[in-house]
């Protein structure tokens, strides 16, 4: 079996599924995290140490939470990240508390989340289409891919694509694959070339004041020791290993990282790290977009039940979608739809289609 076919089958087997409670729409609350990304004047050495002054002056994110948010307990181990940028790179660093460092995958572009890993998701223009995914394990084995659109809308994931010029390093505080000791954790340090990220930025480049949607995920498996090796813990009732934990910066509400509308916001700042502060400025048009996503998910559920999209907004009321504040117009055919919304103070109308892509037009 070819490597590409094997990876395709693995990805299909692990695709996240949007779940709804019966016939009622189940939508997570809109509480995305936010972060101001300051500049560094000095080039960073990507070695996992984070000992440069710019990193030392840069704040960590809040500690990661379960991917489902408040529905689940706080993660067992702490995880946090931080970001910087300059004219050439977006820098991401993370620390993962981990008493049992473990990794097994050494082949680039394998399915890295079959190990414990750290993941980065970046959607520069926030339309949920054309976004980047990066995964790395404790061996610094990398999987980078480009998604034309989320799996829920047919993907595809472009796996034979690499982030040319990517720099990545890990630093282990302990010993990997040695169960007879207790470790402290591991650092990840990444430099994403902006030249590559700008290829699919949708007209929103890395620039002071611009905001990108971004999220981080940590996949954590339950392990036991057998014959002095780590193996995944088996559920005796099912005969299969227990599912992985997913710990994230900005909660998704569902066990599904491929809902870009729920990722956090990262705001580029021209302020040099350690030389001042800049407030994050929330764009209230994001509330309009979020209401459009509610319509999108309601339409998907309506189609599943009725074999066609709703022609009028009030047809979605039975699914729990009502009291819309910004969405005023819905245009549908048997197989397509477009929702249009705006707030009074905005100069834009916002649109969403049946593939979940959003865009804006001048009023």
């Amino acid at each position: 079996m070819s490597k590409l076919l094997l990876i395709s089958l693995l990805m299909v087997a692990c695709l996240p599924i949007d779940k709804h409670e019966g016939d009622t729409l189940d939508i997570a609350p809109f509480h995305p995290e936010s972060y101001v990304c300051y500049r560094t004047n000095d080039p960073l050495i990507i070695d996992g140490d984070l000992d440069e002054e710019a990193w030392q002056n840069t704040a960590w994110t809040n500690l990661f939470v379960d991917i489902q948010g408040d529905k689940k307990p706080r993660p067992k181990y702490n995880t946090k990240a931080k970001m910087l940028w300059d004219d050439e790179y977006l820098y991401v660093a993370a620390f993962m508390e981990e008493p049992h460092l473990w990794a097994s995958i050494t082949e680039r572009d394998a399915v890295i989340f079959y190990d414990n890993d750290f993941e980065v998701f970046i959607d520069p223009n926030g339309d949920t289409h054309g976004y980047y995914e990066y995964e790395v394990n404790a061996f610094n084995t990398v999987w980078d891919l480009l998604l034309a659109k989320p799996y829920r809308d047919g993907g595809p994931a472009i796996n034979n694509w690499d982030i040319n010029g990517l720099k990545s390093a890990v630093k282990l505080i302990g010993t990997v694959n040695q169960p007879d000791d207790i470790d402290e954790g591991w650092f990840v340090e990444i430099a994403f070339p902006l030249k590559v990220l700008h290829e699919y930025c949708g007209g929103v480049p890395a620039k002071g004041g611009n905001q990108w949607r971004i999220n981080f995920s940590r996949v954590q498996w339950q392990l036991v020791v057998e014959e002095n090796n780590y193996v995944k813990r088996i559920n005796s009732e099912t005969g299969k290993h227990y599912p992985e934990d997913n710990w994230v910066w900005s909660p998704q509400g569902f066990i599904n990282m491929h809902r870009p509308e729920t990722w956090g916001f990262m705001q580029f700042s021209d302020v040099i790290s350690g030389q001042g502060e800049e407030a994050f400025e929330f764009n209230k048009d994001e509330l309009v977009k979020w209401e459009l996503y509610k319509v999108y998910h309601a339409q998907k559920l309506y189609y599943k039940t009725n074999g066609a999209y709703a022609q009028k907004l009030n047809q979605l009321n039975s699914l729990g979608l009502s009291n819309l504040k910004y969405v005023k117009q819905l245009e549908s055919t048997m197989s397509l739809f477009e929702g249009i919304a705006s707030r009074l103070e905005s100069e834009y109308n916002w649109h969403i289609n049946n593939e979940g892509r959003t865009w804006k037009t001048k009023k």
Side-chain angles (χ1 to χ4, degrees):
M1 182 181 293
S2 71
K3 173 187 171 185
L4 182 58
L5 178 57
L6 175 60
I7 289 175
S8 298
L9 291 173
L10 289 172
M11 290 171 65
V12 170
C14 297
L15 288 185
I17 300 173
D18 291 340
K19 295 181 179 179
H20 302 285
E21 296 293 335
D23 295 326
T24 303
L25 192 63
D26 185 12
I27 298 176
F30 185 57
H31 296 306
E33 291 284 341
S34 61
Y35 188 93
V36 176
C37 182
Y38 294 105
R39 285 186 65 98
T40 173
N41 269 342
D42 300 318
L44 302 179
I45 299 173
I46 306 303
D47 55 9
D49 270 333
L50 311 188
D51 53 359
E52 292 92 343
E53 183 178 0
W55 276 134
Q56 295 297 313
N57 290 331
T58 299
W60 292 102
T61 63
N62 292 333
L63 293 177
F64 287 22
V65 298
D66 188 90
I67 192 171
Q68 296 183 76
D70 293 339
K71 298 178 184 178
K72 296 293 182 179
R74 302 285 298 188
K76 186 176 182 180
Y77 306 125
N78 289 337
T79 311
K80 55 188 178 181
K82 59 173 65 178
M83 290 171 270
L84 286 166
W85 74 293
D86 60 22
D87 290 338
E88 294 188 52
Y89 296 100
L90 169 65
Y91 301 99
V92 173
F95 175 73
M96 286 154 283
E97 182 184 26
E98 176 57 78
H100 302 289
L101 289 168
W102 165 72
S104 65
I105 298 170
T106 58
E107 183 179 7
R108 186 187 174 109
D109 288 340
V111 183
I112 303 299
F113 63 76
Y114 283 175
D115 280 356
N116 292 341
D117 79 355
F118 177 73
E119 304 176 357
V120 183
F121 297 82
I122 305 172
D123 181 10
N125 72 337
D127 69 348
T128 76
H129 284 212
Y131 60 89
Y132 305 94
E133 179 178 353
Y134 163 95
E135 303 185 8
V136 65
N137 67 4
F139 282 158
N140 195 33
T141 307
V142 169
W143 183 17
D144 49 358
L145 59 159
L146 173 68
L147 286 101
K149 50 188 173 181
Y151 294 121
R152 67 190 179 196
D153 300 304
I158 304 172
N159 190 64
N160 59 347
W161 171 89
D162 290 334
I163 304 176
N164 293 326
L166 174 78
K167 299 179 183 180
S168 178
V170 301
K171 180 181 179 180
L172 307 180
I173 313 299
T175 51
V176 67
N177 295 336
Q178 293 191 22
D180 57 353
D181 64 5
I182 299 298
D183 308 306
E184 292 185 34
W186 55 304
F187 287 92
V188 175
E189 187 177 18
I190 315 151
F192 293 101
L194 291 174
K195 182 178 180 180
V196 176
L197 299 185
H198 284 165
E199 292 176 357
Y200 226 151
C201 73
V204 185
K207 180 182 178 182
N210 280 354
Q211 296 180 0
W212 286 5
R213 301 304 296 270
I214 190 168
N215 210 353
F216 310 113
S217 173
R218 174 182 178 178
V219 169
Q220 188 78 9
W221 295 92
Q222 296 185 38
L223 302 176
V224 294
V225 178
E226 293 182 2
E227 299 180 354
N228 203 38
N229 292 308
Y230 290 119
V231 296
K232 293 177 182 176
R233 184 183 174 196
I234 299 297
N235 184 330
S236 60
E237 295 182 359
T238 65
K240 300 178 180 179
H241 55 68
Y242 283 93
E244 75 279 13
D245 288 315
N246 297 269
W247 302 332
V248 305
W249 173 49
S250 196
Q252 298 288 107
F254 294 82
I255 306 176
N256 183 350
M257 283 304 298
H258 295 273
R259 285 191 169 209
E261 65 271 18
T262 61
W263 296 350
F265 293 94
M266 184 269 289
Q267 177 176 299
F268 290 99
S269 172
D270 286 324
V271 176
I272 303 301
S273 179
Q275 297 184 14
E277 294 185 0
E278 180 178 296
F280 177 82
E281 297 184 9
F282 179 72
N283 183 352
K284 292 184 179 180
D285 273 11
E286 294 295 339
L287 299 175
V288 179
K289 292 172 66 178
W290 181 247
E291 196 169 275
L292 285 171
Y293 290 124
K294 290 183 179 181
V295 171
Y296 162 83
H297 288 293
Q299 280 282 52
K300 290 294 183 179
L301 185 57
Y302 189 93
Y303 188 94
K304 181 179 178 181
T305 304
N306 299 281
Y309 290 118
Q311 303 290 313
K312 298 180 180 180
L313 286 170
N314 60 15
Q315 291 178 276
L316 302 175
N317 290 351
S318 63
L319 302 177
L321 187 73
S322 59
N323 299 320
L324 295 175
K325 183 177 180 181
Y326 304 110
V327 180
K328 305 300 182 184
Q329 188 174 349
L330 181 64
E331 299 175 356
S332 304
T333 68
M334 291 290 291
S335 57
L336 305 171
F337 77 83
E338 179 180 330
I340 304 173
S342 183
R343 61 187 183 92
L344 185 62
E345 301 84 358
S346 175
E347 60 181 313
Y348 297 109
N349 287 317
W350 285 93
H351 308 251
I352 197 167
N353 65 10
N354 48 285
E355 291 190 330
R357 186 177 75 85
T358 57
W359 68 97
K360 63 184 178 182
T361 56
K362 280 275 193 177
K363 287 183 178 178

